[in-house]
């Protein structure tokens, strides 16, 4: 124990407060590519005082992660700091030798990475990977290192750490892995912790516990924290200071609550407007005849009264249910070595109905069975028991020609716009593929339809001959939507369709979806883990937990007056839930 | 674990019988009369032929011949060649030298291949990497006998460093040059495999995290890059044991080594069922044992595929 450091690094942290710990001045970072040198960070300034928490927000490609990586010289191979200075306790980190940098990493500046799934080495056990950090930073050696490893993991919230040291990363859940990574990051009691999107891969309730824990630890140790995040809610809730980055530059900086309540820069204003929160309202699906397509979320003004009335009217005229699920269950048999199998009830007695032209959201954490429901509705998996009706006819056991006909009318859009498009198919071929598969029209009429669809999803016609790798995430998801629309379906199942997108792009796709719904009378089954998004698009919501639906009601009821404890917990866990963004 | 190894060893039995039956049938179906071929231009009296046919059960149907063969194996008799030598003798002569040659080649290609591949992967795009790629491409595309003759000419004939031919029971240093020739193609593949794997792992998030922990560069490479990169290489090495032993025929020819390849080739030409089948059966067993070894190594390197308890 004698080797272990005391819990607070500074004797009197009060006096060190308000002194700059980290000062970045005019930082410039670029990447060497085949097309030449591309600057990614173009003159960033920021100051982080001892004991403070600062968040850098921005969309992907804004340079926020690059800035963070430049601080501890972790830029990927082609990246290079080309100008400016990074002063840490008065020392310029950009001028340190590789050897000196090794002493800074871990010991003075800890790092918690984004994705817990890929950031632990799969071939070494957890204990080894933590102990390695402790030994490398000279915190403890020999037997003490092992003891310290257990302490570190327990501090990070793994109470049974002693028994789990010999386990491997794949035996840990995402949340537990992130705790391990936080433990590693804080193991040497660094003065600064860089947390690069530390929880964006986690469920909202897990995210909350982990962030709470991180906040407690860093407060106790007096550690400064540099958050990198795209989530404005998280930033305002967890950080005192905020830096907004856009295209490699800082566009706004200051106290976070102030900035988000009163954003001055147009980009910040756009970000704040697009941030889905509990305070936002449903995007009005009734399409205005002649307004430009602007992102319109907070449309509760006088001009919108007519729209609301129209939406109300739509809600009040009872529509026939297009899809009905009646006590649907799905049981998977899991092999447990040999001939033993275990039954897993992925979907347990689920019932709901979706009236034509409306959106039903299905929310829940990972493992709640929501994606399995999507597969069952799409007839990609067979139900174990229960009944699924489409237009009043059971579709549970249809085969062959009937199934093909059903598929024409119910189409999917999946989460990952990078994985769901074939990289060797051009955009035109991708969109036309369902038409070819279902033998709709001839070559010429298909081409015409592709052009029409591109227009509907607001992509230029020139996109036809391009390939997925030349397009951005948002553009790819538009193509996935166009492909789903190709056969003029009645229902689209959207499985986490906007979860992988930046907030601004997310807003655009959501607007597109609601516009299309109004125009084509589409029915959506919208599956997501993000409650804030639900509020923007859904008419009715079902909350799933462990395969069961625990609450089902209209969107407003669920958000304003949640009945179930689990729903309340989910709502409570949304970062910045009760912060009213300036709009 | 031991149960698993036991099960895998039991699998050898059906594979052994399946493989021998198949090979026996293939040799049986070869056109031509082996006895006629044995005597060439001047056939012996019919009575001699009949005696030999009787002795080797050549008049019996295929399956009976096979059963005689299997019966022989179970009593420890692998049969004799048409010239009267016991097959076991032939095995005892050909396998040790080929096995030593293959193991030496495996050692060379593994050590040199992984070392060069690792350095090339760590310096992706630099001069060393580019040269390694060019050289390995050259080694893959030039036939073994060309490389073999060149090395033999330069090192044995011009420089006199090694003996040009290798007799039976030759000391290990005589095998060095043949082993290097035998290893060239696989060496090139291992360089490329290791390089790609290392370059991939360099980009891995956990490597960045390891660096962020404050580990030295050397430790990051040894502990976090090398072990993960070896997984595909080990698979290749395992499969390669088999191909090195069979594929040694060209190299053995160049250095006049009386090994497995040449013996089997002669036996096939003469239509000697028992010889071919016995050699192939031993090869099959070596293949399977090598595969078992690879699977065990694989599990040791990658805990994710360890068998669920």
């Amino acid at each position: 124990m004698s080797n272990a450091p005391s819990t607070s690094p500074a004797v009197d942290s009060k006096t060190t407060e308000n002194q700059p710990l980290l000062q970045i001045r005019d930082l410039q970072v670029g990447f060497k590519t085949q097309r030449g040198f591309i600057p990614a960070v173009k003159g960033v300034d920021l100051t982080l005082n001892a004991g403070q928490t600062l968040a850098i927000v921005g969309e992907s490609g804004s340079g926020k992660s690059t800035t963070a990586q430049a601080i501890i010289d972790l830029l990927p191979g082609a990246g290079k700091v080309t100008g400016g200075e990074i002063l840490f306790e008065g020392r310029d980190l950009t001028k340190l030798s590789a050897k000196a940098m090794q002493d800074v990493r871990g010991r003075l500046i800890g790092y918690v990475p984004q994705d817990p799934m890929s950031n632990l080495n799969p071939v070494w056990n957890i204990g080894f990977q933590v102990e390695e950090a402790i030994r490398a930073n000279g915190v403890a050696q020999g037997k003490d290192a092992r003891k310290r490893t257990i302490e570190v993991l327990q501090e990070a919230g793994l109470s049974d750490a002693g028994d789990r040291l010999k386990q491997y990363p794949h035996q840990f859940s995402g949340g537990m892995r992130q705790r391990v990574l936080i433990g590693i990051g804080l193991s040497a009691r660094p003065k600064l912790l860089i947390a690069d999107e530390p929880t964006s891969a986690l469920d909202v309730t897990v995210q909350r516990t982990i962030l709470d824990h991180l906040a407690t630890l860093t407060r106790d140790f007096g550690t400064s924290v540099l958050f990198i995040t795209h989530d404005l809610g998280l930033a305002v809730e967890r950080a005192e200071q905020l830096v907004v980055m856009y295209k490699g530059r800082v566009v706004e900086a200051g106290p976070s609550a102030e900035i988000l309540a009163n954003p001055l820069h147009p980009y910040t204003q756009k970000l704040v407007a697009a941030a889905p929160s509990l305070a936002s309202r449903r995007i009005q699906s009734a399409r205005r005849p002649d307004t430009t397509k602007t992102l319109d979320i907070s449309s509760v003004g006088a001009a919108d009264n007519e729209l609301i009335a129209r939406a109300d009217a739509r809600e009040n005229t009872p529509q026939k249910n297009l899809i009905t699920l009646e006590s649907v269950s799905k049981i998977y048999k899991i092999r447990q070595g040999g001939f033993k199998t275990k039954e897993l009830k992925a979907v347990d007695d689920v019932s709901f109905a979706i009236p034509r032209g409306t959106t039903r959201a299905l929310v829940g954490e990972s493992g709640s069975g929501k994606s399995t429901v999507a597969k069952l509705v799409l007839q990609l998996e067979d139900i174990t028991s229960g009944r699924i009706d489409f237009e009043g006819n059971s579709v549970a056991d249809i085969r062959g020609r009937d199934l093909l006909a059903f598929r024409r009318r119910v189409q999917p859009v999946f989460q990952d716009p990078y994985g769901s498009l074939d990289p060797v198919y051009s955009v035109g071929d991708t969109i036309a593929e369902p038409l070819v598969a279902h033998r709709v029209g001839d070559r010429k009429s298909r081409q015409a339809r592709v052009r029409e669809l591109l227009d509907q999803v607001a992509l230029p016609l020139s996109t036809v001959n391009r390939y997925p790798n030349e397009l951005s995430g948002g553009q790819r998801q538009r193509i996935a939507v166009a492909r789903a629309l190709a056969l003029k379906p009645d229902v689209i199942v959207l499985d986490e369709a906007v979860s992988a997108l930046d907030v601004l792009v997310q807003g655009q796709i959501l607007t597109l979806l609601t516009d299309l719904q109004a125009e084509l009378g589409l029915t959506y089954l919208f599956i997501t883990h993000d409650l804030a998004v639900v509020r923007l698009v859904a008419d009715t919501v079902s909350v799933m937990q462990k395969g069961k639906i625990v609450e089902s009601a209209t969107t407003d009821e669920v958000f304003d007056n949640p009945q179930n404890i689990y729903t309340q917990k989910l709502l409570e866990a949304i970062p910045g839930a009760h912060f009213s963004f300036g709009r | 674990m031991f149960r698993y190894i036991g099960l895998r060893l039991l699998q050898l039995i059906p594979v052994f019988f399946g493989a021998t039956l198949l090979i026996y049938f293939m040799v049986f179906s070869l056109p031509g009369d082996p006895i006629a071929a044995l005597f060439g231009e001047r056939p012996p009296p019919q009575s001699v032929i009949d005696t030999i046919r009787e002795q080797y059960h050549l008049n019996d149907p295929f399956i009976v011949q096979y059963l005689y063969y299997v019966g022989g194996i179970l009593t420890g008799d692998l049969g004799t060649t048409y010239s009267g030598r016991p097959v076991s003798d032939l095995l005892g002569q050909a396998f040790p030298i080929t096995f030593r040659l293959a193991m030496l080649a495996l050692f060379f290609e593994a050590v040199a291949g992984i070392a060069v591949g690792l350095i090339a992967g760590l310096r992706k795009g630099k001069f060393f990497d580019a040269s390694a790629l060019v050289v390995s491409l050259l080694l893959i595309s030039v036939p073994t006998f060309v490389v073999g003759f060149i090395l033999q000419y330069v090192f044995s004939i011009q420089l006199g460093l090694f003996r040009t031919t290798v007799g039976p029971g030759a000391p290990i240093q005589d095998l060095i040059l043949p082993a290097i020739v035998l290893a060239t193609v696989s060496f090139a593949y291992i360089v490329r495999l290791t390089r790609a794997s290392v370059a991939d792992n360099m980009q891995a998030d956990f490597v960045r995290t390891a660096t962020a922990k404050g580990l030295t560069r050397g430790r990051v490479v040894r502990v976090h890059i090398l072990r993960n990169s070896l997984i595909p290489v080990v698979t290749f090495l395992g499969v390669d044991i088999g191909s090195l032993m069979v594929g040694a025929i060209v190299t053995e020819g160049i250095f006049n080594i009386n090994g497995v390849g040449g013996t089997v080739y002669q036996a096939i030409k003469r239509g000697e069922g028992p010889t071919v089948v016995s050699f192939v059966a031993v090869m099959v067993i070596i293949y399977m044992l090598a595969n078992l070894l690879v699977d065990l190594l694989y599990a040791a390197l990658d805990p994710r595929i360890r068998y669920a308890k």
Side-chain angles (χ1 to χ4, degrees), chain A residues 118-119 121 124 129 132 137, chain B residues 205 209 213 219 223-224 228:
Chain A
S118 62
N119 273 291
N121 191 332
W124 293 106
Q129 297 191 50
E132 186 181 52
N137 293 310
Chain B
D205 285 348
T209 304
K213 280 193 231 177
R219 188 175 167 94
V223 176
H224 290 282
N228 296 60

Side-chain angles (χ1 to χ4, degrees), chain A residues 336-412:
Chain A
Q336 288 200 306
F339 296 101
K340 274 180 279 177
T341 53
K342 199 176 107 182
E343 290 198 337
L344 175 84
K345 222 166 192 182
V347 174
D348 189 359
D349 195 21
V350 161
S351 307
F352 62 79
I354 318 177
R356 187 183 287 275
T358 67
T359 302
R360 155 83 54 172
L362 212 51
V363 266
E365 307 195 329
S366 49
S368 62
K370 57 189 195 301
S371 280
T372 310
V373 171
K375 286 185 204 155
L376 295 176
V377 171
L378 285 164
Q379 293 288 308
L380 295 175
E381 302 247 10
D382 289 331
I383 56 174
T384 309
S385 66
R387 199 182 152 84
I388 298 180
D389 285 351
F390 181 70
E391 289 187 323
N393 302 316
S394 170
V395 289
D397 297 308
I398 54 167
R399 291 282 178 272
R401 197 180 292 266
D402 290 341
L403 183 60
L404 215 58
F406 172 77
R407 292 250 155 93
R408 281 180 72 156
R409 307 188 54 191
V410 181
Q411 288 278 309

Side-chain angles (χ1 to χ4, degrees), chain B residues 98-99 101-111 113-114 140 144 179-191 193 232-249 283 286-294 297:
Chain B
T98 299
F99 189 72
L101 181 62
M103 285 302 123
L104 200 58
L106 194 73
F107 173 76
F108 284 147
E109 69 182 51
V111 172
I114 292 172
I140 290 171
T144 312
I180 290 174
V181 173
L182 183 57
T184 45
V185 173
S186 298
F187 161 78
Y189 278 119
I190 287 176
V191 167
L193 202 59
V233 179
V234 162
T235 319
F236 178 83
L237 283 174
V239 179
D240 208 37
I241 293 178
S243 5
L244 283 177
M245 295 196 67
V246 198
I249 182 161
M283 303 292 320
I286 290 175
Y287 244 109
M288 292 192 64
L289 288 178
N291 253 322
L292 175 59
L293 193 70
V294 168
L297 261 175

Side-chain angles (χ1 to χ4, degrees), chain A residues 133-333:
Chain A
I134 288 169
R135 285 175 192 274
N137 293 310
V139 175
Q141 299 298 338
K143 273 209 175 112
D144 288 337
R146 177 50 50 113
K147 236 165 79 187
R148 189 81 195 105
T149 301
I150 297 176
E151 282 171 25
V152 160
L153 287 174
Q154 280 171 345
E155 282 164 10
L158 287 168
S159 45
D160 54 351
D163 304 325
R164 304 200 65 174
L165 289 185
K166 290 264 180 244
Q167 288 192 320
Y168 289 89
H170 70 275
Q171 292 163 306
F172 279 57
S173 70
M176 291 202 293
R177 288 186 217 191
Q178 197 56 287
R179 286 171 195 271
V180 173
L181 287 164
I182 288 173
I184 289 174
L186 288 170
S187 63
R189 301 279 181 275
K191 292 183 178 163
L192 170 66
L193 186 75
I194 298 174
D196 189 354
E197 305 260 14
T199 53
S200 56
L202 302 174
D203 279 329
V204 58
T205 49
V206 183
Q207 170 178 346
R208 185 179 188 85
T209 359
I210 296 226
L211 289 177
D212 282 349
H213 204 84
L214 187 63
T216 317
L217 283 180
T218 49
R219 195 182 52 229
D220 290 353
F221 301 155
T223 315
S224 305
V225 182
L226 181 66
F227 265 116
I228 312 295
T229 182
H230 67 276
D231 187 336
L232 286 173
L234 189 147
V236 69
E237 197 174 276
R238 303 285 170 180
E240 299 131 27
Q241 297 289 318
L242 192 68
V243 168
V244 183
M245 279 187 72
Y246 179 59
K247 293 194 171 161
R249 289 200 173 84
V250 172
V251 294
E252 201 160 351
S256 41
E258 247 170 65
I259 290 186
L260 292 188
N262 187 21
L264 296 176
H265 192 275
Y267 176 74
T268 320
Q269 288 166 353
K270 242 169 93 181
L271 263 189
V272 167
S277 89
L278 294 186
S280 40
R281 292 278 162 223
R282 191 185 193 304
I283 302 173
Q284 291 307 321
S285 52
R287 197 179 197 182
R288 272 174 279 188
D290 56 1
T291 35
T292 45
K293 266 192 205 164
T294 48
L295 191 67
D296 200 358
I297 293 161
S298 55
S299 51
V300 212
D304 301 307
N305 280 341
E306 184 215 354
L307 285 170
I308 293 168
R310 223 192 292 173
D312 279 348
R314 197 163 47 84
E315 266 166 38
N316 292 336
T317 40
Q319 279 276 3
K320 265 189 140 167
N321 289 335
L322 189 59
I323 286 191
T324 321
L325 275 75
E326 252 175 75
S327 15
V328 168
S329 296
K330 175 70 186 175
I331 295 171
Y332 287 109
K333 291 203 165 75

Side-chain angles (χ1 to χ4, degrees), chain B residues 11 15 37 55 67-68 94 150 187 193 202 207 214 237 250 287:
Chain B
Q11 277 180 12
V15 172
Q55 191 190 339
L67 288 178
Y68 270 118
I150 293 174
F187 161 78
L193 202 59
M202 292 251 293
V207 168
L237 283 174
V250 175
Y287 244 109

Side-chain angles (χ1 to χ4, degrees), chain A residues 69 74 102 105-106 111 118-124 128-129 132-133 136-137 168 170 184, chain B residues 205-206 208-209 211-217 219 223-224 227-228 231 301-304 306:
Chain A
Q69 286 165 359
L74 279 185
Q102 274 168 22
R105 286 191 207 114
Y111 178 73
S118 62
N119 273 291
L120 288 166
N121 191 332
V123 307
W124 293 106
F128 177 91
Q129 297 191 50
E132 186 181 52
N137 293 310
Y168 289 89
H170 70 275
I184 289 174
Chain B
D205 285 348
F206 58 79
R208 192 185 57 202
T209 304
T211 312
K213 280 193 231 177
L215 304 184
T216 60
R217 173 82 181 151
R219 188 175 167 94
V223 176
H224 290 282
R227 178 171 170 180
N228 296 60
I231 294 169
L301 281 173
D302 191 346
R304 281 167 298 181
R306 274 173 210 170

